[in-house]
Amino acid sequence: MQIADLRKEYTFGQLSEDQVAASPFEQFKKWLQEAIDSQLPEPTAMHLATVNNQGRPAGRIVLLKHIDTGFVFFTNYQSRKADELNANPLAALTFYWVELERQVRIEGKVEKTEPHLSDEYFNSRPLLSRLGAIASPQSRPLPDRKVLEERIQELQVAYSEKDPPRPAYWGGYRLIPDYFEFWQGRLSRLHDRIVYQLIAPEEWKIYRLAP
Ligand SMILES: Cc1cc2nc3c(=O)[nH]c(=O)nc-3n(C[C@H](O)[C@H](O)[C@H](O)COP(=O)(O)O)c2cc1C
C-alpha cells in the first residue's frame, strides 16, 4: 500500500456565499453544533499555531471552551505556547471535522482572558484535572513521570478538605479573529472555501477562494 494511493472523495455537503450566515461567529456556531449533534469525537479540538520571535512556527491541539468576542482555551501561562504568544500574539486556529468533511481556519490576535473567567472554568474542572494543572510545569523537561505522580499525591493530601485555588500560572487565552475560512470538501477536489475578512469594526467582507 502506497500512502499516495489513499484517496477519498468528499460528497457530504456544499457551501455558498448566499447560504452562509452574515456573521462568521454565527456560521461557526452552526457548524460546531452540527459537529456536536453528529457525535463526532472531540468536536471542540482545535489546532493552535503560534510563531516565536525567531519566526519559527509551532502547532498543537487545545480544546475550545468558550466563545464570546473570540475563541477561548485554557492552558499553562509558562508553557511554550505562552512564551510564543507573549512574544507574538498573532496566532491561528484550525478545526477539522473529518466526518462532515469540513475545516475552519481562524486567524487573529490572542489576549489573556479576564481572571474571573479562568477561575470559573478552573473551578468547574474535576479535582484531579485541577491538581494536574497545578502540578505540571507544562512544556518543561521532567526527569521522570514519578516526579509528577508524587507531586499529585502531595496535592491530594493538601487539598483533601478544601478546594485548590487556580494557580497564577494557569488560565485562559482568547483569540480575537479578523479572518475565518470555512472549507467544505467537494467532489474531485473542487472544494468550497468561503472567507470572512474583517475590514472595519464588525464589518466582514465575504468572498470565495479557489480550492
Ligand atoms: C485532544 C487534545 C486536547 C488538548 N487540550 C489541551 C488544552 O485545552 N490545553 C492545553 O494546555 N493543552 C492541551 N493539549 C495538549 C497540547 O496539545 C500540548 O501538548 C500542550 O499544551 C503543550 O504545548 P506547548 O508546549 O506548545 O505549550 C491537548 C492535546 C490533545 C491531543
Side-chain angles (χ1 to χ4, degrees):
M1 161 59 77
Q2 298 291 313
I3 56 172
D5 294 335
L6 291 170
R7 195 165 276 117
K8 170 180 163 18
E9 277 295 350
Y10 301 115
T11 54
F12 176 81
Q14 41 187 283
L15 190 67
S16 65
E17 299 85 324
D18 47 347
Q19 160 205 352
V20 292
S23 152
F25 285 91
E26 290 317 308
Q27 182 62 34
F28 180 84
K29 285 177 189 167
K30 178 171 182 282
W31 272 21
L32 176 63
Q33 193 57 52
E34 288 174 12
I36 294 167
D37 293 345
S38 307
Q39 302 194 321
L40 304 194
E42 306 260 41
T44 57
M46 52 188 189
H47 177 267
L48 165 71
T50 52
V51 175
N52 75 5
N53 56 5
Q54 309 289 310
R56 181 186 173 105
R60 78 291 281 156
I61 304 294
V62 291
L63 296 177
L64 174 69
K65 288 295 172 185
H66 182 65
I67 305 174
D68 45 30
T69 54
F71 289 70
V72 173
F73 59 92
F74 294 91
T75 192
N76 186 301
Y77 284 149
Q78 296 170 347
S79 60
R80 174 174 174 183
K81 73 181 86 51
D83 289 346
E84 295 181 350
L85 290 170
N86 216 12
N88 176 1
L90 294 176
L93 300 172
T94 308
F95 291 83
Y96 178 37
W97 294 307
V98 181
E99 292 84 344
L100 300 178
E101 301 168 358
R102 287 175 176 169
Q103 169 182 249
V104 182
R105 295 166 59 172
I106 302 171
E107 298 171 20
K109 213 168 173 176
V110 176
E111 62 180 23
K112 280 188 181 171
T113 56
E114 305 71 18
H116 76 85
L117 201 63
S118 298
D119 288 336
E120 230 168 79
Y121 177 63
F122 184 81
N123 293 330
S124 76
R125 302 180 86 205
L127 178 63
L128 273 178
S129 306
R130 280 177 279 163
L131 298 183
I134 296 171
S136 172
Q138 193 178 59
S139 312
R140 307 263 180 84
L142 264 188
D144 56 35
R145 190 176 172 86
K146 223 170 102 234
V147 176
L148 198 59
E149 287 171 353
E150 283 171 1
R151 179 98 181 96
I152 293 284
Q153 281 168 8
E154 286 164 17
L155 288 167
Q156 276 179 309
V157 173
Y159 293 108
S160 58
E161 281 169 14
K162 55 181 180 201
D163 278 334
R166 174 177 66 88
Y169 52 80
W170 192 96
Y173 283 105
R174 175 186 293 112
L175 183 141
I176 299 177
D178 56 20
Y179 184 92
F180 287 73
E181 181 203 313
F182 293 84
W183 183 100
Q184 179 75 62
R186 297 289 304 272
L187 206 57
S188 307
R189 304 297 185 252
L190 298 177
H191 315 301
D192 289 326
R193 300 177 64 190
I194 305 294
V195 168
Y196 293 74
Q197 188 179 346
L198 191 66
I199 50 171
E202 291 184 46
E203 196 182 330
W204 296 92
K205 180 178 166 195
I206 300 178
Y207 55 93
R208 177 180 287 268
L209 292 179

